[in-house]
């Protein structure tokens, strides 16, 4: 059975006279990957940022377990459980290793343990050869992998990805799909806003489309076993 | 009156021979200005961050006000502080007039708008994604602020250097609230003014050389930081 982590209700956001979002219900379930598609300017990024606690909606209620909270109050709980990744992830002006360690430092991980954990994470993402490079000098695909690893290391329940494969070559795209699939297999809930339906539909459990500020289910999502998922992306 | 060549040679000899009076003046100058920058930088950068990061009524007016305060003459700050600290002023009981503390206060007032205005420009140019990345990875607001400041550190260093350059070279405020007392409140600029008025140019030239070297070092540091800023962009 799916466990709802965050249940958003009556989410509205206006920009001037334009109602960008008017969503009755949006549920983030544990371990589920949801693909959100929509035209340019449909509000995918705004929705993801509202869900991630980064953009204040005009109205929204959030149910966390049994408590129904205002968005502002739920924000703290969201921050503890969800990591948002930008379309073009921001790399701090330091090494790849220190970028990945950033979240762990915030959680006051002991220094000795910290770099072992970071080294493991670098190996997991096959980034160990780039550990001491300045993260800003990396390619788009490498930056996305660093950002995914930097998010994974803080062990969130939910990962919100905004257009994770835009402007990537085929190889980088495949490697990003593999990482997203691996994160999903680790039990992380994943929200992906993307135009890239072909590559991401196989990973997604649900596909929903943002039309006129409302979410519309796109059925059926590609259903498959976890074993087949990994083999779809040879690398 | 001694010739310019004689005075210049004497100035160099004063500098290299480690003349006690000259080096006391230099050390007072640096001590006062370092203290002023040290105490002003944290609140000024916090103000700059608040102006760059938060939306609140009157924010634009405050930004304009700080830009306007950049042009306030040092003597006006000196005069205001003099009136406040003089015996008949509201803070006369503190007996701060003609002390180094009064000079530090004056230089703090002078450097605050520079640090806020330049710091605000640097922080406003910071990518919105820095704060969002820090926040989403679990940073509390204060830590997220430090992350943003770290990312625009060259711009903030440039603000500190520019403010230091302004206060160490100002004369009006230090003269009025410091009183130019030897070995206590006489700094480089007030000493130059005094020695020149006495027709004793050697010490004035020596101190002028120190200020010029300092200006060179500060400008070189600023251009290096600007180069790094351009590389960062």
């Amino acid at each position: 059975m799916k466990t709802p982590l965050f249940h958003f209700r009556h989410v509205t956001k206006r920009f001037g006279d334009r109602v960008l979002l008017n969503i009755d219900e949006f549920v983030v379930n544990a371990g589920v990957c949801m693909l959100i598609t929509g035209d340019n300017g449909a509000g995918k990024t705004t929705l993801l940022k509202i869900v991630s606690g980064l953009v204040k909606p005009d109205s929204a209620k959030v149910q966390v377990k049994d408590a129904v909270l205002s968005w502002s109050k739920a924000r703290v709980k969201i921050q503890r459980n969800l990591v948002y990744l930008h379309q073009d992830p921001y790399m701090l002006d330091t090494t790849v290793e220190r970028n990945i360690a950033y979240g762990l430092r915030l959680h006051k991980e002991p220094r000795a343990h910290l770099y072992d954990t970071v080294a493991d994470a670098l190996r997991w993402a096959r980034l160990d050869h780039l550990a001491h490079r300045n993260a800003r000098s990396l390619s788009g695909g490498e930056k996305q992998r660093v950002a995914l690893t930097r998010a994974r290391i803080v062990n969130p329940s939910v990962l919100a990805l905004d257009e994770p494969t835009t402007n990537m070559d085929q190889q980088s795209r495949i490697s990003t799909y593999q990482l997203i699939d691996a994160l999903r297999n680790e039990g992380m809930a994943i929200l992906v806003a993307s135009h890239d339906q072909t590559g991401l539909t196989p990973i997604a459990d649900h596909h929903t489309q943002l039309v006129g500020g409302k979410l519309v289910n796109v059925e059926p999502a590609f259903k498959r076993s976890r074993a087949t998922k990994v083999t779809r992306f040879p690398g | 009156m001694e010739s310019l060549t004689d005075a210049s040679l004497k100035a160099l000899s004063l500098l290299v021979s480690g003349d006690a009076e000259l080096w006391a003046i230099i050390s007072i100058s640096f001590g006062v200005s370092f203290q002023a920058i040290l105490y002003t930088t944290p609140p000024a950068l916090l103000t700059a961050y608040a102006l760059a990061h938060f939306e609140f009524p009157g924010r634009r007016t405050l930004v304009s006000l700080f830009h306007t305060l950049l042009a306030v003459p040092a003597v006006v700050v000196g005069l205001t502080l003099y009136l406040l600290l003089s015996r008949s002023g509201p803070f006369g009981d503190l007996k701060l007039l003609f002390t180094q503390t009064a000079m530090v206060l004056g230089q703090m007032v002078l450097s605050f708008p520079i640090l806020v205005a330049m710091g605000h420009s640097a922080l406003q140019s910071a990518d919105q994604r820095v704060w969002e990345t820090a926040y989403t990875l679990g940073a509390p607001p204060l830590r997220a602020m430090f992350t943003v400041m770290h990312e625009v550190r060259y711009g903030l260093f440039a603000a500190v250097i520019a403010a230091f350059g302004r206060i160490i070279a100002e004369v009006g405020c230090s003269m009025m609230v410091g009183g130019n007392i030897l070995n206590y409140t006489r700094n480089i600029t007030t000493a130059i003014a005094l020695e020149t008025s006495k027709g004793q140019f050697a010490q004035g030239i020596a101190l002028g050389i120190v200020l010029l070297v300092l200006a060179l070092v500060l400008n070189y540091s600023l251009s290096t930081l600007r180069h790094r800023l351009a590389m960062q962009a």
Side-chain angles (χ1 to χ4, degrees), chain A:
Chain A
M1 187 184 151
K2 294 166 190 169
T3 316
L5 294 168
F6 300 106
H7 193 147
F8 290 79
R9 290 197 178 94
H10 311 301
V11 181
T12 60
K13 182 72 184 172
R14 305 171 75 95
F15 284 102
D17 292 338
R18 186 189 165 207
V19 178
L20 184 68
L21 298 173
N22 185 9
I23 295 166
D24 295 329
E25 199 175 46
F26 183 81
V27 187
V28 181
N29 285 308
V32 170
C33 179
M34 182 189 278
L35 173 64
I36 305 163
T37 53
D39 293 339
N40 277 338
K44 300 187 295 292
T45 298
T46 307
L47 174 62
L48 272 197
K49 285 194 170 182
I50 287 173
V51 170
S52 308
L54 295 171
V55 166
K56 192 175 184 208
D58 293 328
S59 70
K61 288 282 176 199
V62 189
Q63 185 175 340
V64 187
K65 292 183 182 162
D66 292 330
V68 179
L69 308 167
S70 65
W71 178 87
S72 303
K73 285 191 178 154
R75 210 176 163 216
V76 181
K77 292 184 191 295
I78 292 171
Q79 192 196 15
R80 280 193 211 126
N81 290 288
L82 186 150
V83 175
Y84 170 87
L85 267 76
H86 294 91
Q87 180 176 342
D88 176 16
Y90 186 85
M91 293 290 111
L92 300 168
D93 185 16
T94 181
T95 60
V96 168
E97 188 179 49
R98 289 179 76 87
N99 260 277
I100 289 171
Y102 181 83
L104 282 186
R105 284 169 184 271
L106 295 172
H107 291 85
K108 301 205 166 57
E109 190 87 0
R111 188 171 273 266
H113 186 226
L114 191 140
Y115 281 99
D116 288 344
T117 315
V118 172
D120 286 346
L122 284 164
R123 271 193 295 277
W124 175 83
R126 296 184 209 157
L127 287 166
D128 29 354
H129 62 294
L130 299 172
H132 302 294
R133 276 262 297 274
N134 186 303
R136 294 214 174 147
S137 65
L138 304 180
S139 69
E142 288 166 340
K143 280 182 184 170
Q144 193 60 259
R145 276 156 67 201
V146 172
L148 281 166
T149 313
R150 187 170 63 181
R152 175 187 176 256
I153 210 165
V154 296
N155 201 21
S157 312
V158 190
L159 209 54
L161 310 174
D162 191 3
E163 303 279 5
T165 54
T166 307
N167 302 326
M168 274 186 193
D169 59 35
Q170 188 58 19
Q171 189 52 48
S172 303
R173 212 172 275 171
I174 288 171
S175 134
T176 305
Y177 296 150
Q178 284 174 331
L179 282 193
I180 295 172
D181 202 44
L183 290 168
R184 185 187 173 284
N185 289 337
E186 287 178 8
M188 228 173 258
I190 296 173
L191 307 173
V192 196
S194 181
H195 283 102
D196 177 16
Q197 293 186 32
T198 41
L200 289 165
T201 307
I203 306 172
D205 299 295
H206 292 296
H207 180 181
T208 185
Q209 197 170 5
L210 198 51
V211 186
K214 303 255 183 206
L215 283 174
V216 180
N217 276 329
V218 179
E219 292 290 349
F222 192 89
K223 304 284 181 199
R224 65 210 158 75
S225 71
R226 300 234 160 176
T228 56
K229 281 175 197 170
V230 181
T231 54
R232 287 187 75 82
F233 307 117

